[in-house]
Amino acid sequence: MTVKIATAQEIPLIDQDGPYRNDHEMLRACVGPAPVARTPYGTYLALRWRHAETLTNPSLTRQLELETMFLQGISDGPIFEMFANGMLFSNGEAHRRRRGPVAKTFAFKAMEAMRGEIRALAETLVRARLNAGVVDFLDEIAGEIPAAIIARILGVPGDDAPYFSRLVYSSIRGLSPHEPSVRPQIERDLAALNDYVAGLLEARRAAPEEDFLSQFLAATGGEGGLSPVEARVQVAGLILAGSDTTRLAICSTLSQLLQHQDQWAALCADPDGLKKPAAEEGLRYDPAVASVPRVALRNLDLDGFVVPAGSVVALSLIAALRDPEVYEDPDRFDIFRKDRTRWHLAFGAGAHRCLGEALARAELEETIAAIARLAPGTKLVGPPPKLSGLRAVRSIDRMEVAFAQRTISI
Ligand code: HEM
């Protein structure tokens, strides 16, 4: 029997402007059972879990480097510097060298040790807003927790935290395609964040302490070590990589829990027992990172559909995390599901797999557990948040809640 090979033109094209309620519905309607889709930008999306390995195999694909900078006409300045020196946008030896010191020091045990602080912060933020009407959950809670916790890990003094947090959320916009008109503001804020990080590093160089930055600096030295710019960029990169991703994961998970009142009631009855499966399902159901893009180094045959060498092809996490071959009834939000995978694809795969997974999980789990414990009567105010985007970190429109100890009518 001969297997028909589909050419690039035969790969279904997606139409994001159709009348779809969300990206999941759009992908299914446009692509059907095909394992890969074409996008209107001339790139490809691989949609199946089982292709994760192919898409992140360094002999078949490579990470994008400066391509997105050149496409946006950026060739210098702080955004360019971030891409040119960061671990995320590098391959091979440069990637290993830049990732090594962070991987060594930003370790699972150290992040697990932050749980107590995360829990205390989440409880303080919720208590201050209990029975106090409408809360801007996106900014005041979900956005505040990752920015405040990374500030504490880096030793940012408490008084500087609001300034630091503002710089973080402004600078983050530089990592994704943005309107050229906002670039000067992003560049000013990213330059200020860089100066701030450089000051923290300088202080630890002069007087090392028993903390993450001092250990990180110790790990960057020696032969094949990092230049001062590379060291600063890896720290700034950590701050940026962990903020809007975790903010979105907290919103997405809480929003689903509140829309499934039976599961929310179960979590409220046993917050510490169920916070992990609840977070696991929230990360799967509507993940924060839509896809991880790569460049195909050769023709990639995905079940008979050929993505041509040289193309940009992204592993679509939103599709793979609802792959019916892996998850039974994948569109059902179910914190009790038994078909969990050994490792969570929401954090990527291969050499660039997320370094902040332990911290992100601790922040997500402790935040939902704190709300379930202190405010079981919490309700969404207005329509649920809308998550959208097929590339990089997804966007979220808004999310408001009312925190209450008992059920309230709103
Ligand atoms: C729920 C929250 C998070 C999600 C869903 C997430 C997801 C991801 C994904 C999918 C990648 C792989 C990108 C690729 O292969 O192209 C990644 C990389 C990365 N993440 Fe996260 N992340 C989260 C939180 C964090 C946090 C809290 C930090 C640190 C504070 C962090 C730091 C990083 C870094 C440094 C990389 C680059 C790794 C490398 O290039 O070797 N992330 N993340």
Side-chain angles (χ1 to χ4, degrees), residues 63 88 95 99 238 241-242 245 249 289 292 294 346-348 352 354 356 360:
Q63 178 64 287
L88 183 57
H95 175 248
R99 182 174 164 110
L238 263 185
T245 44
V289 176
V292 293
R294 299 290 186 267
F347 295 102
H352 289 273
C354 183

Side-chain angles (χ1 to χ4, degrees), residues 149-168:
I149 292 298
I150 194 77
R152 289 183 197 185
I153 292 172
L154 299 178
V156 172
D159 287 351
D160 287 357
Y163 169 70
F164 181 83
S165 183
R166 191 191 70 68
L167 294 183
V168 171

Side-chain angles (χ1 to χ4, degrees), residues 5-276:
I5 299 289
T7 62
Q9 287 71 34
E10 289 172 284
I11 294 176
L13 178 67
I14 58 171
D15 165 24
Q16 280 173 275
D17 298 327
Y20 308 110
R21 278 177 304 174
N22 54 48
D23 296 327
H24 304 283
E25 197 176 279
M26 182 276 294
L27 282 173
R28 233 163 259 147
C30 297
V31 185
V36 56
R38 264 183 309 140
T39 74
Y41 328 105
T43 62
Y44 296 84
L45 283 176
L47 306 167
R48 296 292 190 180
W49 225 109
R50 65 171 185 277
H51 293 140
E53 222 176 293
T54 304
L55 265 286
T56 54
N57 177 337
S59 65
L60 301 176
T61 68
R62 69 163 172 82
Q63 178 64 287
L64 268 80
E65 293 178 354
L66 293 169
E67 290 87 346
T68 53
M69 290 290 93
F70 296 135
L71 277 174
Q72 292 177 83
I74 305 176
S75 54
D76 57 12
I79 301 176
F80 185 84
E81 183 196 63
M82 188 79 170
F83 275 73
N85 291 281
M87 73 175 93
L88 183 57
F89 315 105
S90 58
N91 286 291
E93 186 44 36
H95 175 248
R96 276 191 292 280
R97 207 165 44 76
R98 292 168 184 172
R99 182 174 164 110
V102 182
K104 218 188 225 168
T105 47
F106 206 71
F108 178 80
K109 248 170 96 183
M111 296 308 121
E112 274 294 299
M114 293 302 296
R115 271 188 193 268
E117 277 200 52
I118 299 167
R119 176 180 171 147
L121 172 65
E123 288 185 351
T124 304
L125 292 172
V126 173
R127 269 203 195 98
R129 292 163 178 82
L130 207 49
N131 306 320
V134 181
V135 174
D136 175 351
F137 185 78
L138 178 63
D139 282 347
E140 294 177 29
I141 311 285
E144 181 57 21
I145 287 171
I149 292 298
I150 194 77
R152 289 183 197 185
I153 292 172
L154 299 178
V156 172
D159 287 351
D160 287 357
Y163 169 70
F164 181 83
S165 183
R166 191 191 70 68
L167 294 183
V168 171
Y169 283 107
S170 174
S171 306
I172 271 173
R173 299 174 296 166
L175 294 189
S176 351
H178 49 267
E179 287 295 322
S181 62
V182 296
R183 190 165 308 145
Q185 179 69 54
I186 297 175
E187 293 198 321
R188 270 197 300 279
D189 288 337
L190 182 54
L193 184 66
N194 281 338
D195 287 348
Y196 199 96
V197 170
L200 291 171
L201 285 168
E202 212 29 69
R204 291 307 184 287
R205 269 192 200 99
E209 291 178 18
E210 287 291 306
D211 65 356
F212 163 68
L213 275 189
S214 307
Q215 287 167 10
F216 167 73
L217 277 173
T220 60
E223 209 177 316
L226 301 191
S227 71
V229 171
E230 282 180 318
R232 165 167 59 67
V233 166
Q234 304 328 304
V235 175
L238 263 185
I239 301 168
L240 299 182
S243 298
D244 58 348
T245 44
T246 309
R247 174 177 74 159
L248 201 123
I250 294 173
C251 288
S252 164
T253 305
L254 183 70
S255 152
Q256 288 306 327
L257 287 165
L258 295 178
Q259 289 174 70
H260 294 84
Q261 279 292 317
D262 51 335
Q263 297 182 51
W264 175 245
L267 178 70
C268 294
D270 183 11
D272 283 317
L274 288 177
K275 64 189 177 190
K276 281 182 192 290

